Amino acid sequence: MNETPDVYGAYPRLEDYQLAELMELGERRAVGVGDVLYRAGELPGELLIVLAGQVVVLEDLGPHRRVIAVHGPHRFLGEIGLLTGQPVFLTAEVAEPGDVLAVPLERLRELVGRDQQLADLILRSFLVRRSLQLSLGAGFAVIGSHFSADTRRIREFAARNRLPHHWIDLEHDEEAERLIRELGIDRRDTPVVIWRGDVLRNPDNDQLAAAVGLKGPPPARATHDLVVVGAGPAGLAAGVYAASEGLATVVVDAVATGGQAGTSSRIENYLGFPAGISGAELADRAVAQAKRFGAELMVPAAVTGLGRLDGHHVVRLDSGENLQARAVLVASGAHYRQLDLPGLDRLGPSSVYYAATELEANLCRRDPVVVVGGGNSAGQASVFLADHAAHIRLVVRSKELGANMSRYLADRIEATPAIEVLLHSEVRELRGDTALESILIEDLCSHRRQLAPARALFVFIGSDPHVDWLGGQVELDDRRFVLTGNQLPGARKLLESSRPGVFAAGDVRSGSVKRVAAAVGDGALAVRLVHEYLAHI
């Protein structure tokens, strides 16, 4: 069996000096053919390096096994979960007898803290491996109809959390009917998730998260220095800075890490990444960094309220758990508004999207689509989808493309033949029977209407903040964003809300700049202000 070629740095060979360093920290073990080094769903506590022989990494779904990679000497095994505390999604099995080196994660962390080159090599390899797993659909299986709202919910949850999976479409996949017969599943029971030999019938997000090991145990500490609500760029930045400075920190998010930025195909104007970086990779790097410094992450965990108890703030979760904190950072972000359109209730669940990731792009491959919005999110989505869709119509209310969009994006859109820009225009109606077929678009100047063929609509218009959970505990502006600092009467710290000890950062804050760098800056600054607050209570 030949070793898998190193694809984009996913499977590098360790240098002799790196292997020598690791040999001093680990234990050499003899392995035989068929030995399972770890199984999908497990949380390995060590990094494994192949010293002699061969190891295959494979997808194991019961009767269906697929080899993903083959590792020989000087190759290391593992996935990003080793750094973020999540289980692996693939199984490692010995194909040729030999020896492996097992390095406990605690000792590995000590080494990578001293050897930056090795740390970068391992992190980058794990990130690329996760991207390859996602593109290959190597993980759990989702069987369901593309007309089903629950199928879409499960797939979106998996995509937002970057959980490797593949979708078997009941309508278009020839294997679907045979597979559900083999598993004894009735079509009415779909969607189902197949994972580690188990069949989960239409699991909710919490059930799926628990099944794949995404949800860890609740924090053991009774009172935390800081609870951060929201794991977008602002919340993750706060988690990194707070934990690195010794604050007992918990970051909570209802859906996934990364926030809206996590759904961006490429962020090209973020400092330090001249070639750009995907929102998913930025989030994965931030999570690994926060975990390294000791921050605890609870995802998914929906926050339902904010209260007080014994002089502390209490963040209430939908699970019934309460998190007590000396300070709270509101970084719960915002979500794109829905269009109020005829046909949305009927066609929205199957054809209207509020993110443009690989998941959505694959659903509309070689189809005409419409994108609505004039900001950077709409621009990034249009450029990304241009490599997948047959034709894109970008519908913009303003009379100039660059009015609310970065110039580099506007220039790229204007230079992309697959994108047609419709300025001073609005969408009026969605048409189709069981799925979207066309969209009625009106020119606001001439009032002329055109019926544009479309199989998907992507909406990136104005946003509304996630603040319902605050329950009136802090003051909001007339658009329901959190007021902070000099926006409030009296002397208050820059990002402090009307309730002492409760701060706000990122898109949820009134007057914030809707940019990733600004959100990260908010998160870092909030931690300094939290330190000052805690020093005086």
Side-chain angles (χ1 to χ4, degrees):
M1 186 178 293
N2 294 325
E3 192 172 275
T4 302
D6 185 19
V7 182
Y8 307 118
Y11 310 117
R13 294 172 60 85
L14 292 168
E15 300 290 342
D16 288 340
Y17 82 91
Q18 293 170 328
L19 185 58
E21 285 184 306
L22 291 165
M23 290 285 288
E24 295 180 4
L25 303 177
E27 173 191 9
R28 187 173 190 136
R29 298 174 186 165
V31 293
V33 175
D35 286 352
V36 176
L37 303 182
Y38 55 77
R39 294 187 186 277
E42 294 180 349
L43 184 60
E46 54 197 16
L47 178 73
L48 297 174
I49 300 104
V50 180
L51 299 178
Q54 230 171 37
V55 175
V56 295
V57 175
L58 50 90
E59 179 186 49
D60 187 359
L61 294 175
H64 303 279
R65 288 163 62 95
R66 175 170 53 142
V67 173
I68 303 299
V70 181
H71 294 289
H74 285 223
R75 289 263 188 99
F76 57 88
L77 311 177
E79 304 173 21
I80 188 66
L82 282 174
L83 303 179
T84 61
Q86 295 178 5
V88 293
F89 284 85
L90 299 173
T91 295
E93 188 175 294
V94 178
E96 292 181 4
D99 298 281
V100 298
L101 179 68
V103 180
L105 291 184
E106 296 77 13
R107 306 197 73 182
L108 177 66
R109 292 189 184 101
E110 295 173 7
L111 175 60
V112 298
R114 303 191 306 268
D115 189 335
Q116 188 61 51
Q117 185 175 356
L118 181 61
D120 289 344
L121 177 70
I122 292 173
L123 175 59
R124 181 60 187 164
S125 299
F126 284 170
L127 289 171
V128 176
R129 288 179 193 182
R130 176 52 55 90
S131 295
L132 289 173
Q133 289 171 11
L134 290 168
S135 64
L136 291 171
F140 57 86
V142 180
I143 306 175
S145 167
H146 68 276
F147 297 118
S148 164
D150 280 319
T151 298
R152 174 173 166 179
R153 170 186 56 78
I154 291 170
R155 298 195 66 220
E156 286 183 346
F157 178 79
R160 288 289 304 275
N161 284 282
R162 298 171 291 285
L163 303 176
H165 68 286
H166 64 273
W167 173 41
I168 301 172
D169 187 350
L170 283 175
E171 273 71 37
H172 297 109
D173 196 312
E174 295 179 357
E175 292 290 305
E177 288 293 343
R178 181 186 60 79
L179 186 56
I180 63 173
R181 281 198 305 270
E182 285 182 6
L183 295 170
I185 299 169
D186 191 291
R187 284 182 68 105
R188 291 171 295 184
D189 292 333
T190 60
V192 298
V193 171
I194 313 299
W195 175 236
R196 301 183 67 186
D198 295 328
V199 178
L200 308 177
R201 287 170 167 78
N202 194 15
D204 62 29
N205 292 352
D206 277 348
Q207 290 170 330
L208 178 57
V212 301
L214 184 61
K215 293 190 74 166
R221 185 184 294 267
T223 302
H224 309 276
D225 294 321
L226 176 64
V227 169
V228 181
V229 180
L236 290 174
V240 168
Y241 282 97
S244 69
E245 294 171 14
L247 296 181
T249 305
V250 178
V251 182
V252 186
D253 197 283
V255 180
T257 57
Q260 283 187 1
T263 67
S264 176
S265 56
R266 185 145 299 269
I267 303 167
E268 297 191 65
N269 58 352
Y270 188 57
L271 184 66
F273 293 91
I277 184 171
S278 72
E281 181 175 341
L282 185 64
D284 282 341
R285 285 176 173 271
V287 169
Q289 197 173 13
K291 291 268 191 175
R292 177 189 163 206
F293 287 122
E296 297 184 80
L297 273 73
M298 298 182 67
V299 181
V303 175
T304 59
L306 178 65
R308 297 179 190 268
L309 180 67
D310 298 332
H312 293 133
H313 305 285
V314 176
V315 175
R316 294 189 289 270
L317 307 180
D318 65 349
S319 62
E321 300 170 73
N322 289 333
L323 299 176
Q324 290 193 42
R326 300 168 68 203
V328 172
L329 177 63
V330 181
S332 43
H335 58 90
Y336 291 111
R337 295 177 191 144
Q338 293 188 2
L339 292 167
D340 185 13
L341 295 171
L344 182 64
D345 290 343
R346 180 167 45 84
L347 300 172
S350 63
S351 307
V352 181
Y353 304 95
Y354 300 88
T357 67
E358 287 287 347
L359 167 66
E360 290 82 14
N362 287 330
L363 287 173
C364 62
R365 190 176 293 275
R366 293 182 293 277
D367 287 334
V369 303
V370 170
V371 178
V372 180
N376 276 10
S377 295
Q380 290 165 346
S382 299
V383 170
F384 173 64
L385 292 169
D387 291 331
H388 301 79
H391 183 75
I392 296 164
R393 288 178 174 84
L394 175 59
V395 180
V396 182
R397 276 182 56 92
S398 60
K399 296 183 178 181
E400 182 183 346
L401 184 58
N404 299 296
M405 186 183 295
S406 296
R407 189 65 251 172
Y408 81 91
L409 265 179
D411 290 343
R412 184 167 301 174
I413 287 169
E414 290 168 349
T416 303
I419 304 175
E420 176 187 354
V421 180
L422 303 178
L423 297 174
H424 44 76
S425 298
E426 285 187 349
V427 171
R428 293 300 185 212
E429 185 182 352
L430 308 184
R431 296 184 181 179
D433 294 326
T434 56
L436 183 65
E437 296 174 4
S438 59
I439 294 176
L440 188 63
I441 302 171
E442 180 178 349
D443 185 302
L444 299 176
C445 294
S446 66
H447 299 293
R448 292 180 57 187
R449 293 188 170 193
Q450 62 170 302
L451 196 60
R455 298 294 177 268
L457 172 66
F458 292 83
V459 181
F460 302 97
I461 58 175
S463 56
D464 292 318
H466 286 291
V467 292
D468 288 346
W469 65 275
L470 289 168
Q473 293 288 316
V474 302
E475 292 188 28
L476 310 175
D477 66 13
D478 56 359
R479 296 169 56 214
R480 305 192 72 237
F481 289 86
V482 179
L483 292 167
T484 59
N486 59 14
Q487 297 171 327
L488 295 162
R492 297 200 176 270
K493 298 182 184 299
L494 185 61
L495 300 180
E496 192 171 24
S497 73
S498 58
R499 175 168 162 171
V502 177
F503 300 81
D507 289 357
V508 75
R509 180 175 64 83
S510 178
S512 66
V513 178
K514 304 299 189 285
R515 292 290 187 271
V516 173
V520 170
D522 266 12
L525 176 58
V527 171
R528 195 199 76 180
L529 300 174
V530 166
H531 270 295
E532 293 177 1
Y533 169 77
L534 295 179
H536 293 92
I537 61 172

